[in-house]
Each structure stands twice: as C-alpha cells, then as structure tokens.
Amino acid sequence: MERYASLKSIASYVPKRCVKNADFEKILDTSDTWIQKRTGILERYFASDDQNSSDLGAEAGRIALERSGLQTKDIDLVMVATLSPDYLGMPSTACLISAKLGIRDRPAFDITTACTGFIYLLSLAKAFILSGTYEHILIIGAEKVSSVLDFEDRSTCVLFGDGAGAAVVSASCDKKNSIVDVHISSDGTYCDLLSTPRVVRQSHFLKQSSLSPYLQMKGNETFKLGVKTLANDVEKIMKKNNVSSEDIDFFIPHQANLRIISAVGEQLNFSSEQVVITVQKYGNTSAASIPMAMNDIYESGKLKNGDLMLLDAFGGGVTWGSALLYFGG
Ligand code: UT7
C-alpha cells in the first residue's frame, strides 16, 4: 500500500493583548493611515511579559493534538519553527513545548528559517513520514516577535505580531488527504535584508559589538524580492504538479503585507474567495502566520477535509518555499 503524509489537524493560539495601529501613534511618528495603506494591518496581538514563544506554541500544540484525536504518547517527534525562541541556542523551544505538553522521551528540535518556517516543517515532516521513520509528528510555528522588536523603530515594530499555529502530520494511505508536494529554498547572499543580530555580551576579550539586538529589515528590498520570488516559486510548484489556479480551494500565503499578497494573488489569477488574508488582524507573525491563517478558515467552517491548499512564504535568510496539500482533518 502506498504511504503518504497527511496534515490531520490545525490549531492556533492568539495572545490576549490586542494592539491597534492608533496605539503606536502615541509612541512613534506614525499613523493608522500609513500602516493600513502600506501594509493592510489594522491590529496585532502581543504576548504578556510572562508568556514566551513556548507558552504560545504549547497552547496551539495542545489544541492540534486534541483535534487529531491522538494522545501525547502517540507523538513521535516535535519540531518548532521560530525566530523568537525562549532561549538563545538552548534549550530549544521544541524541548520546552514537549515538556509543557507532557511529551517525553521523543526527539524535539527547532529550525531557524524565519517566516518560511511552517513550510520547512511540512517538508521535514513529509520526509520523515515517507521514509517510514515516524507515524505522527507535531509541528509548530511559535513566535513572540515582540521580544525582538525595537519599539523605537517605526519601520519594523508596527508590522509584526505574536501568536502560534500547530498541526499534526500523520502517516496515511489516502492520496486525496495527503501533502502532495513541498518546495523549500534559500539564498544566504541576501542575509542582510532581515536579521535579529543580538548583542554579544561584552567581555575583556571581545570588542564591544555595534550590532543592534533587535529585528532589522530592509523593507523595500525585501518587498520587491519577495513578490518576484514567490510568484515564481508558486508558478513552478503548480506547473510541476499539473495544477491550475481553478483547482486550488485556498491559497494561503505568508501574511507579511497585504500588497504582497494581492500582487502575488493577482499574478496567479486567484479570486478573492480563494486567497486567505489575516494580516489585517494579526500583523506578520512570522513562522506562525500560515498555520494561524489556515486555522482561521478551519474554525470558520470553510476548510473541509479534502480541500486543496497552496501555501507560500518568504523570509529572513532569505528563505522561501511553497506547498501543495489536501487538508486531511
Ligand atoms: O515576513 C518577512 C518578509 N517581510 C516582508 O515581506 C515585508 C516586506 N516589506 C514591506 O512590507 C514594506 O516594504 C514595508 C511595509 C516595510 C514598508 O513599505 P514601503 O512602501 O516599502 O515603504 P518604504 O520603506 O519605502 O518607506 C516609505 C516612507 C519612508 O519615508 P520617506 O523616506 O519616503 O520620507 C519611511 O521613513 O515611509 C516611512 N515610514 C513610515 N511612515 C510612517 C516607514 N515606516 C513608517 C511608519 N509610519 N511606520
């Protein structure tokens, strides 16, 4: 019997504190009008001081597990994508989430592929399942992006939000519920477009670092490269799998900027019913943005078992990727 990997459940967690564009007017030289016009964002949510990415991820992971009908003991592997881990280096956010969910004696690790994180996780989960290594994998995009934002930098801090999205990917014998194809890529020569440098602790042995500890982005260059790369990448995956825009039920792009989403959506001839847009209410939640958007259409009853989804993302590194999959939930 053929073996496939299937996305069995989807879930998200959004922290409580809602921050409106107008709230930034009080601390920065910016305006609700500028933010809306240039990005489409109306509001975003920020985690509380005592909530870290692992707390957000654990909440989403718990719901994804419940919705999959599995128990913690069934999960063979936990993988987390984040650019805002609880700790720098170790322990991984995946280890912390595993502990919070009561998943013991299983492998757990993080990946650092910024906003493309969820697509990289899908690619890894698919490979682990098709190789026969694992049966059930919990994948999570968890981000407290606010922890790496410079709230004096109007060109970045208004763009991002916190949140988490999670999914269970399981082995399946049903092609019509499977992850059809995932494409991931990167180009490190563009590493200076987006970064979170982190200050190196001063010591007698090191010169003082001139790097900012906060997220930095060359917005306009990122925008242009993002639109070009994504449209190209999505066209390629559709062509390779002999799929046209009419075959897709939902196009779920990374939610960075409404103008990027619209440009790519129009170039590929998707109707407004096909394109899932959540950037207006969550901002850019990096690795969590795609599963959060997917969860929105799941919870509103639009996403049904067997629907064909097309995902795409572009982020720091730079990294990018696209995925074509049926919903198996
Ligand atoms: O998720 C990972 C991938 N990320 C992305 O794909 C994001 C890509 N980039 C973008 O979404 C857009 O480039 C931004 C929303 C970041 C910026 O929009 P833009 O149309 O590219 O604006 P810009 O950077 O060219 O700046 C235009 C003007 C500048 O002023 P001057 O030099 O024309 O006087 C900025 O200083 O807008 C100014 N500006 C602001 N004004 C009010 C920048 N940020 C703000 C702000 N409020 N928050």
Side-chain angles (χ1 to χ4, degrees):
M1 204 187 297
E2 281 288 333
R3 184 175 169 95
Y4 301 98
S6 173
L7 191 133
K8 284 290 178 201
S9 68
I10 186 74
S12 78
Y13 176 77
V14 182
K16 292 205 165 46
R17 184 170 175 211
C18 180
V19 177
K20 308 259 183 210
N21 291 344
D23 295 321
F24 283 99
E25 292 177 353
K26 296 173 203 152
I27 57 165
L28 289 167
D29 178 17
T30 189
S31 66
D32 178 34
T33 314
W34 190 95
I35 301 170
Q36 277 199 48
K37 204 169 145 204
R38 311 299 275 195
T39 72
I41 299 168
L42 305 178
E43 58 194 31
R44 77 287 291 143
Y45 293 81
F46 286 147
S48 58
D49 290 344
D50 59 357
Q51 271 180 321
N52 287 314
S53 292
S54 69
D55 299 299
L56 312 182
E59 292 293 342
R62 201 183 313 278
I63 305 167
L65 252 172
E66 265 169 38
R67 288 181 180 166
S68 71
L70 297 169
Q71 297 176 349
T72 49
K73 66 174 172 48
D74 302 319
I75 295 298
D76 300 310
L77 167 69
V78 178
M79 295 188 288
V80 171
T82 182
L83 63 73
S84 48
D86 293 23
Y87 292 90
L88 183 61
M90 63 180 174
S92 72
T93 307
C95 278
L96 299 172
I97 292 176
S98 296
K100 283 173 185 165
L101 293 179
I103 298 172
R104 297 281 188 280
D105 194 17
R106 295 288 187 274
F109 62 88
D110 291 359
I111 61 162
T112 310
T113 54
C115 303
T116 319
F118 193 73
I119 295 183
Y120 268 70
L121 291 180
L122 279 176
S123 172
L124 287 167
K126 180 175 182 247
F128 275 127
I129 288 190
L130 293 194
S131 67
T133 311
Y134 300 121
E135 294 297 307
H136 305 291
I137 301 174
L138 181 59
I139 58 172
I140 302 174
E143 299 281 16
K144 185 179 182 179
V145 190
S146 62
S147 68
V148 294
L149 290 177
D150 177 355
F151 283 94
E152 289 178 5
D153 177 7
R154 67 177 185 173
S155 70
T156 52
C157 72
V158 302
L159 306 173
F160 294 89
D162 301 338
V168 171
V169 179
S170 294
S172 157
C173 49
D174 186 359
K175 194 177 181 182
K176 278 286 168 203
N177 274 325
S178 69
I179 299 171
V180 180
D181 197 9
V182 189
H183 174 246
I184 51 174
S185 196
S186 75
D187 185 345
T189 59
Y190 290 102
C191 59
D192 63 338
L193 287 190
L194 282 134
S195 56
T196 45
R198 302 252 181 182
V199 167
V200 177
R201 182 187 273 272
Q202 272 179 266
S203 85
H204 296 296
F205 308 106
L206 295 168
K207 276 199 218 144
Q208 187 175 352
S209 170
S210 57
L211 294 175
S212 154
Y214 301 115
L215 184 148
Q216 291 162 37
M217 177 168 70
K218 293 182 180 165
N220 205 266
E221 286 174 57
T222 306
F223 185 102
K224 287 179 195 152
L225 187 64
V227 173
K228 200 171 77 184
T229 309
L230 286 174
N232 227 329
D233 202 53
V234 171
E235 262 170 7
K236 259 199 239 161
I237 200 170
M238 288 169 72
K239 203 168 170 195
K240 182 179 157 208
N241 292 282
N242 204 14
V243 160
S244 71
S245 52
E246 301 94 69
D247 301 320
I248 307 288
D249 293 297
F250 296 106
F251 174 50
I252 313 180
H254 168 51
Q255 308 284 317
N257 187 318
L258 185 57
R259 289 186 292 141
I260 300 180
I261 298 171
S262 306
V264 176
E266 275 166 29
Q267 214 164 314
L268 299 163
N269 289 321
F270 286 117
S271 68
S272 55
E273 287 75 38
Q274 288 169 298
V275 184
V276 179
I277 301 171
T278 54
V279 67
Q280 72 282 8
K281 51 182 184 171
Y282 302 134
N284 180 348
T285 58
S286 186
S289 95
I290 288 178
M292 285 172 74
M294 197 187 289
N295 181 65
D296 261 41
I297 53 167
Y298 172 75
E299 288 194 354
S300 67
K302 288 189 205 156
L303 181 64
K304 302 265 172 21
N305 180 286
D307 281 348
L308 186 58
M309 299 180 279
L310 177 64
L311 321 178
D312 80 22
F314 180 84
V318 296
T319 58
W320 66 92
S322 49
L324 194 61
L325 69 161
Y326 294 101
F327 183 53

